[in-house]
């Protein structure tokens, strides 16, 4: 029943009571009527106020919400990808943490033992280990070759003679070049940052080797620089091994001269030694 129908019913009751009860009855009915109407108006006003307040609270709540589709708090954010942090190999311990840098000035004089002592700290390095071990082996082989060639020269020629000098000078130049190259290798090995290289390499691998963003492009450039440094180390070692090979050939040729008194390949060996010695000068 609507509120107007209720009010109409109450009015009819009051007017009907007024005709039957007289003045006092009419007065009583009017008081009852006023009370009922007041209660009715209060009820309807309160109901409307409650509805209005509810709508207002809903509007305020909507205003505070961020735009977009809300996500379930128990779910991870859909646009966040967590990548594992690249780490160095488990068996790698940076040599720089336990050993101070030692600079070798080959022109000022340095011994093979001093170089080997430094390189021994890098034989377990994840990247430089094989290179350090190869350099050590070359130095030890060169020292053995120096002793054997000296003995072969003294056996084939008179010490200090022109023939002796012809072979001794290139041989000594090759041995000196190996020593200088090894000192340079030791300096560069100590300066190389293996940990940074490994991290950069894995980061570029993770990015697919593409430098689409400024950060990844810089990592690609850094990796290229590290690779260039490693290539330089390999080139120096390759020259050392070439010199060592020619010294082996020279030792064999000197042994042949001692037995037969003549040389068939001596000139070509000496020429190759001179070429390699000159080539090594570009690494400084």
């Amino acid at each position: 029943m609507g509120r107007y129908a209720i009010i109409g019913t109450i009015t009819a009751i009051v007017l009907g009571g007024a005709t039957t009860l007289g003045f006092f009855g009419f007065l009583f009915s009017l008081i009852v009527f006023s009370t009922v109407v007041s209660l009715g108006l209060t009820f309807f006003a309160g109901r409307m106020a409650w509805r209005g307040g509810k709508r207002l609270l809903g509007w305020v709540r909507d205003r505070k919400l961020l735009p977009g589709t809300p996500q379930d708090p128990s779910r991870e954010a859909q646009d966040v990808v967590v990548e594992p942090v690249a780490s160095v190999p488990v068996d790698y311990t940076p040599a720089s943490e336990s050993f101070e840098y030692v600079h070798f000035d080959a022109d000022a004089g340095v011994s093979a033992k001093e170089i080997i002592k430094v390189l021994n700290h890098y034989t377990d390095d994840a990247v430089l280990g094989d290179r350090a071990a190869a350099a050590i082996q070359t130095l030890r082989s060169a020292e053995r070759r120096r002793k054997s060639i000296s003995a072969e020269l003294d056996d084939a020629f008179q010490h200090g003679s022109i023939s002796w000098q012809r072979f001794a000078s290139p041989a000594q130049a090759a041995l000196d070049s190996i020593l200088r190259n090894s000192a340079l290798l030791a300096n560069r090995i100590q300066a190389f940052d293996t940990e940074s290289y490994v991290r950069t390499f894995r980061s570029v691998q993770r990015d697919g080797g593409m430098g689409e963003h400024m950060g990844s492009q810089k990592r690609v450039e850094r990796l290229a620089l590290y690779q260039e440094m490693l290539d330089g180390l390999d080139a120096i070692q390759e020259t050392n091994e070439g010199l060592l090979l020619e010294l082996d050939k020279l030792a064999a040729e000197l042994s042949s001269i001692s037995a037969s008194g003549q040389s068939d390949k001596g000139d070509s060996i000496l020429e190759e030694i001179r070429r390699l010695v000159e080539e090594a000068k570009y690494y400084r």
Side-chain angles (χ1 to χ4, degrees):
M1 181 181 294
R3 59 177 178 272
Y4 296 107
I6 296 174
I7 294 174
T9 303
I10 295 173
T11 303
I13 294 173
V14 172
L15 292 177
T19 58
T20 57
L21 299 178
F23 174 76
F24 291 102
F26 171 77
L27 182 61
F28 176 75
S29 299
L30 183 62
I31 293 173
V32 172
F33 171 76
S34 300
T35 301
V36 171
V37 171
S38 298
L39 291 174
L41 292 176
T42 301
F43 170 76
F44 288 118
R47 187 174 180 182
M48 292 179 65
W50 181 78
R51 288 182 177 179
K54 185 177 179 180
R55 291 178 180 177
L56 180 61
L57 288 175
W59 179 81
V60 171
R61 182 185 58 190
D62 293 339
R63 291 282 293 180
K64 290 183 178 181
L65 291 178
L66 292 176
T69 303
Q71 296 184 356
D72 186 350
S74 62
R75 297 172 55 192
E76 295 182 358
Q78 300 299 310
D79 58 346
V80 177
V81 178
V82 180
E83 293 287 352
V85 178
S87 60
V88 297
V90 176
D91 59 349
Y92 170 63
T93 301
S96 59
E97 292 185 0
S98 57
F99 187 73
E100 295 183 359
Y101 178 86
V102 178
H103 180 75
F104 292 112
D105 185 354
D107 294 328
V110 61
S111 69
K113 289 183 179 180
E114 292 175 304
I115 299 174
I116 291 174
K117 182 179 179 181
V118 169
L119 291 176
N120 276 328
H121 290 273
Y122 294 87
T123 54
D124 293 330
D125 189 277
V127 176
L128 304 172
D130 290 343
R131 293 173 169 89
I136 291 173
Q137 185 59 45
T138 298
L139 284 170
R140 289 173 176 168
S141 297
E143 181 62 19
R144 287 194 295 269
R145 188 54 61 215
R146 181 186 67 80
K147 294 178 180 179
S148 65
I149 288 178
S150 177
E152 294 291 348
L153 276 172
D154 289 341
D155 189 42
F157 309 105
Q158 181 180 358
H159 186 85
S161 65
I162 296 177
S163 296
W164 186 92
Q165 288 287 352
R166 175 171 176 262
F167 289 97
S169 295
Q172 187 59 50
L175 291 168
D176 291 343
S177 182
I178 290 175
L179 190 62
R180 284 194 298 270
N181 291 344
S182 298
L184 182 59
L185 271 173
N187 289 340
R188 294 188 179 183
I189 284 176
Q190 291 180 90
F192 190 85
D193 190 345
T194 296
E195 184 175 0
S196 177
Y197 168 75
V198 172
R199 290 183 182 276
T200 304
F201 179 81
R202 294 188 175 184
S203 178
V204 172
Q205 271 193 327
R206 185 187 61 210
D207 296 339
M210 301 299 293
E212 297 179 357
H213 304 291
M214 181 61 69
S216 58
Q217 177 63 33
K218 292 300 181 183
R219 287 191 292 271
V220 170
E221 293 178 7
R222 179 179 291 275
L223 181 61
L225 176 60
Y226 282 135
Q227 192 58 56
E228 183 179 345
M229 294 170 66
L230 292 174
D231 291 343
L233 294 177
D234 294 339
I236 296 174
Q237 179 59 28
E238 184 177 352
T239 298
N240 271 359
E241 291 176 356
L243 286 167
L244 190 60
L245 175 61
E246 295 305 318
L247 287 173
D248 290 340
K249 292 179 181 179
L250 180 60
E253 184 66 14
L254 290 174
S255 178
S256 175
I257 292 174
S258 299
S260 64
Q262 58 183 355
S263 174
D264 296 329
K265 303 177 181 178
D267 291 340
S268 62
I269 294 173
L270 295 178
E271 182 61 31
E272 181 62 15
I273 289 176
R274 294 188 184 95
R275 187 189 70 80
L276 290 172
V277 169
E278 288 297 318
E279 178 181 300
K281 294 179 181 179
Y282 293 102
Y283 298 139
R284 300 183 185 180

